[in-house]
Amino acid sequence: MTRRVSDIWCVFQIHLERVRAEAGPFILAALVFPAAMYLFATAVGSEASAGVDDTERRLRFLAGSIVFSLSLTAISWLGYLLLENRFTGRLRLFATLPLAASSYAFGILLFGLAQAALGTSSLLLVSRFFGVRTALTLPAAFLLVVLIVLMMLCGCGIALVIASHARSFSEGSLLTDALGAGFVLVAPIYYAPESLPRALQYLSRLLPTTYAARAVQATLTGRHDVTDDLLVLAFMALVTLTVGFRSMRWRED
Amino acid sequence: MIVPADPLLAVDSPAVTRRSVVRGYEVAVSARRLVKRYKDGTEANRGINIDLRRGEVIAILGPNGAGKTTFLRQVTTELRPSSGRITVFGVDTVRDPERARQMMGIAPQEAGLFESLRVRDHLELFARLKGLSRRAAAAAAAKTMEDLDLVADANRRVRTLSAGQRRRILLGLALVGHPPLLVLDEPTTGLDPAARRAMWNILRRAVGNGASVILSTHYMEEAERLSDRIGIISTGRLIAFGTLAELTACLDCRYRLTFHDSSDPSADLCVERYATFGELQAEIARRRLSEYSIAGATLEDVYLELVGERFPDEAAQGERR
């Protein structure tokens, strides 16, 4: 067990070193896009939804931007890392060590969680400058952390599947980018669910981002009634991670 | 045809392999009837039997696509054999790959390093992934950097290093922690001659410290100078295996005559091979050669006779000339 934890920590450190050296693009990915999306949604939303409580609308957009950031980090960024490791031969360095494949995946996930924590904290801080006032209580903050972990687990599972099955780096990279952003745009995150076309409403029910956004918005307003969304996310995380780990093989047949 | 030498090592008794000892030799790697068949029906390895003794160096030669890397990847547990068995110090690589990998230091042919990691970080973190404690990993990394002449570059990031230095780090990742078995897939490909020789010295030191080595190479000289025994793989089969002396002794033509054909001054040097020295002398007399060179059979001659083509690095040099 101690060995497993040490392995996960080493894989995490290897990837963390990279962030230290290339901090700019990482911050850009985790913060700037979602923050810009928040500003865009606020600008467009204030015209489209006149009469709706401004605080509620801003909190929804902030929740959307947090989920956007998580989706980008989990699917696009982790997917990119996994693909890069696989197609540049770095994965072979790990695969030829006495290291379990799951330790490698959890090390990458831990790295993603660190990024997610950084991105979410930054967005919460930046949102204060835009006049967004959250009512985050201590229990709600704990729930927010659980939500972040579950959303990251879902995204990591999806990234693992893509990175294991992609036939080329570009194919995998396109898929992770499309899903990372697509899961946010298709889900009712920046707008009310009823404003979506019926087909997309059904589709959005299958996406983790839908439940994550709703639950994150609730925790930001200090509510704790997110059990249903947590359970759905936990189930999705279990499914995606199981499929992800099964897709990932150290040894080829 | 030259057949696998050393009948002592052809013993294939489960009782014997369980003890990892074959007639007094402790066996580091034992491969038995190893077959790798891909889904499309291609057979990359066809019944390979090989033993690597403890403290021995084996070089695997063969043309591109012959199955060298496939064989090594099965040893390193990256590739599951279709049939057959491989043990590393008695551990079955299919049943217990993680334990088998604990005894190996592996330098894959096409592995990438982490560009933004420092040399020291690479060695320390990978030593820890091999199971060393933090303190032991730091000490092992320092020793490996010393061995590889990388101390001055310890704090440099990989992206700033030359190809030769990167190769040394890859070898360092295999060496760190002193694993008893080193599996090296073309460890010196792309290096200049000086760097290649430096790499040979590093490997010799590792062997001096008790490591067993199995490596694939495209360089004849490397195989001749580094290895105790040489295996030649062609179209998935181990077509020859033995010491250099054993391999050359099995050749039909053991003498080589090199000369300029006076009837065609623009032609390249002619190389002809003869079974006996008498035949060679007779040919010199018949051609009335005044300038020529005579040499005993080399590994290249063995390779040419068995594989029937020029060796890749020689061919490349020929093209450059």
Side-chain angles (χ1 to χ4, degrees):
Chain A
M1 186 61 189
T2 316
R3 172 75 197 273
R4 188 59 61 94
V5 172
S6 165
D7 287 349
I8 292 171
W9 185 250
C10 286
V11 174
F12 166 73
Q13 277 188 297
I14 287 170
H15 290 87
L16 191 68
E17 281 299 322
R18 183 180 162 173
V19 180
R20 284 185 190 158
E22 301 164 11
F26 279 89
I27 291 171
L28 188 82
L31 182 63
V32 175
F33 290 142
M37 198 63 190
Y38 169 81
L39 291 174
F40 174 74
T42 310
V44 174
S46 59
E47 290 172 13
S49 53
V52 176
D53 178 25
D54 188 53
T55 309
E56 188 191 321
R57 194 179 58 236
R58 281 169 177 263
L59 279 177
R60 191 173 80 217
F61 294 157
L62 176 61
S65 293
I66 288 172
V67 173
F68 189 16
S69 170
L70 293 176
S71 184
L72 281 181
T73 307
I75 304 175
S76 303
W77 254 117
L78 292 191
Y80 181 87
L81 273 186
L82 290 164
L83 284 164
E84 199 185 29
N85 284 352
R86 182 179 157 205
F87 287 103
T88 57
R90 289 175 193 157
L91 189 63
R92 292 195 71 194
L93 290 183
F94 293 110
T96 51
L97 287 170
L99 174 75
S102 57
S103 298
Y104 166 74
F106 277 117
I108 298 261
L109 175 67
L110 191 62
F111 168 69
L113 284 173
Q115 266 199 291
L118 182 75
T120 307
S121 312
S122 306
L123 274 171
L124 286 171
L125 273 176
V126 169
S127 67
R128 296 185 79 86
F129 290 107
F130 294 133
V132 185
R133 290 286 174 264
T134 60
L136 204 58
T137 60
L138 199 61
F142 172 74
L143 285 174
L144 182 62
V145 171
V146 176
L147 280 167
I148 289 171
V149 171
L150 288 176
M151 177 63 207
M152 289 299 293
L153 288 173
C154 287
C156 186
I158 294 165
L160 278 171
V161 175
I162 296 171
S164 303
H165 290 288
R167 285 168 296 183
S168 66
F169 182 82
S170 52
E171 182 188 81
S173 187
L174 277 171
L175 263 174
T176 53
D177 284 348
L179 293 186
F183 276 17
V184 173
L185 298 177
V186 172
I189 285 177
Y190 289 107
Y191 31 80
E194 51 275 13
S195 62
L196 282 172
R198 189 170 291 271
L200 285 185
Q201 283 184 34
Y202 288 126
L203 178 62
S204 69
R205 286 178 200 166
L206 300 172
L207 303 178
T209 42
T210 302
Y211 304 95
R214 196 162 60 199
V216 167
Q217 190 184 346
T219 57
L220 292 180
T221 55
R223 282 166 36 213
H224 310 146
D225 55 334
V226 294
T227 315
D228 290 351
D229 292 322
L230 276 177
L231 286 174
V232 174
L233 278 174
F235 174 72
M236 286 181 165
L238 187 71
V239 171
T240 53
L241 271 186
T242 304
V243 177
F245 280 134
R246 289 200 169 197
S247 313
M248 218 186 126
R249 286 168 304 175
W250 258 187
R251 182 159 47 188
E252 292 172 35
D253 287 324
Chain B
M1 173 181 278
I2 298 167
V3 292
D6 202 345
L8 286 178
L9 296 179
V11 176
D12 186 18
S13 148
V16 167
T17 50
R18 254 202 309 276
R19 291 200 310 271
S20 296
V21 174
V22 178
R23 297 230 185 139
Y25 293 112
E26 198 168 348
V27 175
V29 177
S30 168
R32 287 284 174 273
R33 301 186 193 97
L34 198 62
V35 174
K36 182 64 207 172
R37 194 178 299 107
Y38 290 104
K39 283 174 187 166
D40 64 0
T42 312
E43 279 193 322
N45 283 164
R46 300 193 279 180
I48 289 182
N49 290 302
I50 209 167
D51 281 297
L52 169 69
R53 299 165 190 149
R54 185 181 278 248
E56 186 184 37
V57 180
I58 285 182
I60 304 290
L61 299 173
N64 289 327
K68 303 187 297 290
T69 296
T70 299
F71 169 64
L72 291 187
R73 290 187 73 204
Q74 290 180 98
V75 174
T76 62
T77 78
E78 289 176 88
L79 205 58
R80 186 191 291 273
S82 304
S83 64
R85 185 165 184 250
I86 309 175
T87 57
V88 173
F89 293 105
V91 176
D92 191 309
T93 60
V94 173
R95 287 189 198 151
D96 199 351
E98 218 168 296
R99 209 173 132 222
R101 285 198 299 265
Q102 269 171 356
M103 291 179 277
M104 289 188 234
I106 301 161
Q109 189 184 342
E110 287 167 356
L113 294 165
F114 288 85
E115 300 283 315
S116 41
L117 273 189
R118 293 183 179 89
V119 174
R120 185 195 305 277
D121 300 332
H122 256 107
L123 294 168
E124 276 189 25
L125 288 166
F126 279 84
R128 290 190 63 199
L129 286 172
K130 285 183 176 182
L132 273 66
S133 68
R134 190 183 291 267
R135 187 177 290 179
K143 177 78 175 68
T144 307
M145 285 189 291
E146 202 180 301
D147 289 345
L148 296 174
D149 197 20
L150 282 169
V151 176
D153 302 310
N155 292 317
R156 283 178 69 187
R157 294 192 191 279
V158 167
R159 73 163 79 91
T160 65
L161 301 177
S162 69
Q165 287 167 315
R166 284 165 189 244
R167 271 272 169 198
R168 265 189 282 165
I169 296 170
L170 264 182
L171 188 64
L173 297 183
L175 291 170
V176 72
H178 294 295
L181 171 65
L182 296 172
V183 184
L184 314 170
D185 196 1
E186 298 185 19
T188 61
T189 296
L191 295 184
D192 61 56
R196 191 177 301 153
R197 274 169 176 71
M199 198 77 95
W200 293 349
N201 288 334
I202 293 163
L203 284 178
R204 284 193 192 105
R205 279 205 296 274
V207 174
N209 290 330
S212 313
V213 181
I214 184 161
L215 63 94
S216 72
T217 181
H218 271 310
Y219 301 108
M220 296 271 188
E221 191 189 359
E222 186 162 284
E224 284 180 342
R225 290 196 180 203
L226 269 186
S227 57
D228 299 302
R229 288 188 294 164
I230 297 159
I232 299 176
I233 293 182
S234 180
T235 59
R237 290 186 196 282
L238 185 69
I239 56 171
F241 185 47
T243 62
L244 180 60
E246 285 168 342
L247 294 180
T248 50
C250 294
L251 275 181
D252 291 334
C253 301
R254 294 166 64 183
Y255 298 94
R256 183 167 57 167
L257 174 66
T258 308
F259 59 94
H260 261 302
D261 186 354
S262 53
S263 62
D264 184 5
S266 64
D268 262 350
L269 283 174
C270 294
V271 179
E272 291 186 357
R273 292 172 176 81
Y274 301 92
T276 65
F277 193 67
E279 283 177 29
L280 180 141
Q281 280 180 310
E283 184 63 15
I284 291 170
R286 190 184 70 77
R287 287 181 178 269
R288 294 179 185 164
L289 295 175
S290 56
E291 285 184 24
Y292 54 86
S293 71
I294 299 169
T298 61
L299 182 58
E300 185 183 341
D301 298 306
V302 176
Y303 185 91
L304 288 172
E305 182 158 318
L306 291 174
V307 181
E309 58 184 79
R310 293 182 77 185
F311 205 65
D313 67 319
E314 299 290 321
Q317 281 171 16
E319 279 161 23
R320 281 197 291 276
R321 278 200 293 268

